[in-house]
Structure formats: structure tokens, C-alpha cells
């Protein structure tokens, strides 16, 4: 949005418009969903002025009013579904990972959480006809898990028909049997994955804000951002806030981080995929004692919660633990060299 349109809001002159744009408030909608405190702190605007600007933006963007269920249903038609390329798992999720939602995948070490984020960074780039979202990926890496070599493996692991389609779409001359053409195609996939390593929880929170800016820059491009992967969401928070005395601070920061991620999903029709660590519940006498960390803050923020559990060999049990409109259930997949595959 041009800056002079922001100046149409009361109290916004050229200098204020510059501050708003510099801090990521580039549209009426992004201003409308902000809080006065947030805008005041990030854009150095008085809280009273920020409140007036936000209220005016809400009126201009028609945000915050009631609407009918039919209108909500019509808007939900815009939500995309990102396929896992595994029919049993897609059925479990009602078609795949939803945009405008947070999907949490948790499980113990080695259960395949990072493999899921890598696979979705590939799958999101596929055409809608092949189960993708025709978009790019932002990958926030907090545990040094991102490996371009795995992207290479997973692209090569796609069906030949899908590979042929992708070569045609990306104007790569050759066939899946042509090694030079495959290397060019893999490079094209890697070009649409934007990776940043988070060094601590504060840096991770900052990267979520940068991700919002990057999604805005790509919104009108050929490859809009359609998924943000955070692997893992909780590692830094868990390491830095130790003990019950720091639990409240940790949860408060985690809550803000989740809302920043959700805002990206809402503003840019993007899927948010986060991985989460687990802990053992000593009070559990029956069943699986493994539980996701993050408490109720994360439990309420996640629209879909999925639990990965190891099985024999490379088999993994995918369990849908919570979803607003889907029944709990389980599916089986394999984690192989060429990516996630059906049983």
C-alpha cells in the first residue's frame, strides 16, 4: 500500500506514515489488528494517538464487526489445504494442513517432526492440482535442523508425473531422468525456501516479525509465502526459562510469539506449522506418559495438534489429538530417504 494512503488516517502525517511502514504497519488491515501498546512500543507513537489510528483503520478496513455464518463460510472457501501426499494423513486432517491456522506437530526425539517441516517446505510449492499451494516457505530454525540435502532428497522422491509438471511450470528443460534438469529443479525449490536460524527466544520473536515483512513483500509475487515452519517453537523458551519461578514470563513471551505467527496466517492466508518438544508426565499411570510442553497457552493457540509416535522401523503413527471440526484418529506413514511416504 502506498504511504500516502496511510496519511488519510487521522493523526497520520508523512513522518508517522514513514514510522508505520518501517515497522511493518503497511496496510489498514495490519494496523487494524494491532494493539495500541504494540504500536506505541514498535513505532514510537503515543498510545492515545495509536488507539485513534487503529480505530480509524478498523473502520476503513471494515475489521472487527459481526458477520453472518454464511459470510464466514464464504470466506473459509479461500482457505487452502496443503497435502502431505499421504492419503491416510490427508483424510485425518480433512484434506491437509490449513492456511490461516496453526498446526502443531509434537513428539519425542527422532519421531520425524523436522522431516514433516522439510516435506511441507517442498509440498507447498507444488501446484494446487498436485496438492500444493503454489507458494513459498519461511523456515525459522531454532535447533539447527534445516538441511538443504533433505530438500534435495524429497524433491527427487516426488512422483515422476509431479516432477514433470514442476519442470514445465518452472521452465526447466529435460525430464526427471535427466540429472542436470533435476539439479536445476532442486535449486528452484531451494530458492523458494527462506531460512533463518534463531539464536535465542528474543531473536526467534524478532524473526516472526521479519517473517511478516517478508510475507508482505512476496504477497503479490509469483511465489507468495504460503507456509511458515518453526522448528522448534519451544526449544529456546524451554532452555532459557528454567523453573517454576520463570514460568509466567515464559508463557507470556510464548503467547506473544504465537499471536505474531497467527497474524501472518490471517493477513497473508498462510499456514503456520510449528514443532514442539515433549516431556514425560510422571503422574500418568496408564497409556502414553508423553505430553507436549507449552501448557494451555500453546494448546489453545494451536488449531490442530498432531502427535508423532515411533513404531517399527521407519513407521510413524500420526495421531490427531485436537481439531475444531475433526474427530480424533490415527494414520500411519513412513519416514524414508526420499521423504514422507504412505505405509
Amino acid at each position: 500500500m502506498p504511504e500516502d494512503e496511510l496519511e488519510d488516517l487521522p493523526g497520520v502525517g508523512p513522518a508517522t506514515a514513514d514510522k508505520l511502514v518501517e515497522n511493518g504497519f503497511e496496510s489498514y488491515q495490519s494496523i487494524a489488528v494491532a494493539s495500541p501498546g504494540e504500536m506505541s512500543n514498535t513505532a514510537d507513537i503515543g498510545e492515545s494517538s495509536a488507539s485513534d489510528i487503529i480505530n480509524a483503520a478498523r473502520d476503513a478496513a471494515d475489521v472487527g464487526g459481526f458477520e453472518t455464518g454464511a459470510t464466514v463460510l464464504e470466506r473459509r472457501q479461500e482457505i487452502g489445504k496443503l497435502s502431505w501426499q499421504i492419503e491416510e494423513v490427508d483424510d485425518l486432517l480433512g484434506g491437509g494442513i490449513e492456511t490461516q491456522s496453526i498446526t502443531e506437530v509434537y513428539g519425542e526425539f527422532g519421531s520425524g517432526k523436522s522431516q514433516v517441516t522439510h516435506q511441507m517446505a517442498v509440498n507447498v510449492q507444488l501446484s494446487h492440482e498436485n496438492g500444493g499451494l503454489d507458494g513459498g516457505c519461511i523456515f525459522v530454525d531454532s535447533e539447527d535442523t534445516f538441511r538443504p540435502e533433505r530438500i534435495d532428497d524429497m524433491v527427487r522422491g516426488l512422483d515422476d508425473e509431479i516432477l514433470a509438471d514442476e519442470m514445465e511450470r518452472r521452465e526447466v528443460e529435460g525430464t526427471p531422468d535427466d540429472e542436470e534438469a533435476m539439479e536445476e529443479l532442486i535449486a528452484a525449490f531451494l530458492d523458494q525456501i527462506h531460512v533463518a536460524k534463531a539464536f535465542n527466544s528474543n531473536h526467534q520473536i524478532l524473526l516472526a516479525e521479519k517473517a511478516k515483512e517478508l510475507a508482505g513483500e512476496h504477497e503479490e509475487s509469483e511465489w507468495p509465502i504460503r507456509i511458515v515452519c518453526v522448528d522448534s517453537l519451544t526449544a529456546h523458551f524451554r532452555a532459557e526459562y528454567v523453573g517454576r519461578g520463570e514460568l509466567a514470563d515464559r508463557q507470556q513471551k510464548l503467547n506473544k510469539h504465537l499471536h505474531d505467527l497467527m497474524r501472518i496466517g490471517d493477513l497473508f492466508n498462510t499456514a503456520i506449522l510449528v514443532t514442539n518438544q515433549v516431556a514425560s508426565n510422571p503422574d500418568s499411570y496408564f497409556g502414553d506418559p508423553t505430553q507436549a510442553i507449552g501448557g494451555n497457552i500453546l494448546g489453545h493457540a494451536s488449531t490442530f495438534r498432531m502427535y508423532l509416535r515411533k513404531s517399527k522401523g521407519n513407521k510413524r503413527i500420526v495421531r490427531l489429538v485436537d481439531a475444531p471440526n475433526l474427530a480424533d484418529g490415527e494414520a500411519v506413514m513412513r519416514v524414508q530417504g526420499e521423504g514422507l511416504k504412505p505405509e
Side-chain angles (χ1 to χ4, degrees), residues 151-321:
I151 302 299
D152 186 309
D153 294 338
M154 289 173 172
V155 173
R156 293 178 187 275
L158 295 170
D159 291 342
D160 282 349
E161 288 186 11
I162 293 178
L163 287 173
D165 286 347
E166 288 302 309
M167 285 181 171
E168 184 178 349
R169 289 176 66 218
R170 298 170 193 249
E171 299 180 348
V172 174
E173 294 185 7
T175 67
D177 296 326
D178 182 347
E179 180 58 25
E180 190 174 333
M182 281 301 298
E183 288 181 1
E184 185 179 344
L185 180 64
I186 290 162
F189 269 88
L190 286 168
D191 278 345
Q192 302 308 326
I193 304 173
H194 309 271
V195 186
K197 184 175 179 180
F199 294 101
N200 53 50
S201 61
N202 284 328
H203 187 216
Q204 187 171 323
I205 290 170
L206 174 64
L207 287 176
E209 297 171 4
K210 295 294 183 183
K212 178 182 162 192
E213 294 177 16
L214 188 59
E217 291 170 7
H218 284 75
E219 187 178 14
E220 301 298 330
S221 72
E222 184 181 357
W223 294 95
I225 301 300
R226 286 291 174 257
I227 192 168
V228 175
C229 299
V230 184
D231 186 22
S232 82
L233 178 76
T234 48
H236 286 315
F237 293 93
R238 189 181 194 183
E240 294 168 23
Y241 295 87
V242 181
R244 191 171 293 275
E246 297 194 36
L247 181 61
D249 288 342
R250 184 189 82 175
Q251 294 303 88
Q252 186 175 11
K253 288 187 75 173
L254 184 59
N255 189 35
K256 180 190 183 304
H257 185 41
L258 286 163
H259 278 80
D260 287 344
L261 291 171
M262 192 64 252
R263 189 170 299 168
I264 299 171
D266 288 338
L267 289 175
F268 304 108
N269 193 24
T270 299
I272 309 297
L273 174 63
V274 302
T275 65
N276 189 14
Q277 298 181 343
V278 296
S280 183
N281 180 8
D283 298 329
S284 177
Y285 295 103
F286 304 100
D288 191 339
T290 304
Q291 62 180 14
I293 67 170
N296 290 332
I297 291 289
L298 183 50
H300 290 309
S302 300
T303 314
F304 301 91
R305 302 194 89 183
M306 306 182 72
Y307 173 35
L308 292 187
R309 190 172 75 249
K310 294 179 182 178
S311 187
K312 292 181 180 179
N314 60 12
K315 279 187 181 181
R316 298 294 185 271
I317 309 299
V318 184
R319 183 181 171 206
L320 182 63
V321 176

Side-chain angles (χ1 to χ4, degrees), residues 25 33-43 212 256 260 263:
F25 300 105
V33 297
S35 67
E38 177 190 5
M39 182 177 289
S40 176
N41 291 331
T42 58
K212 178 182 162 192
K256 180 190 183 304
D260 287 344
R263 189 170 299 168

Side-chain angles (χ1 to χ4, degrees), residues 111-128:
S111 58
K113 304 183 297 295
S114 295
Q115 303 302 313
V116 172
T117 55
H118 281 70
Q119 188 70 65
M120 295 309 140
V122 170
N123 291 1
V124 73
Q125 300 185 45
L126 304 180
S127 66
H128 288 278

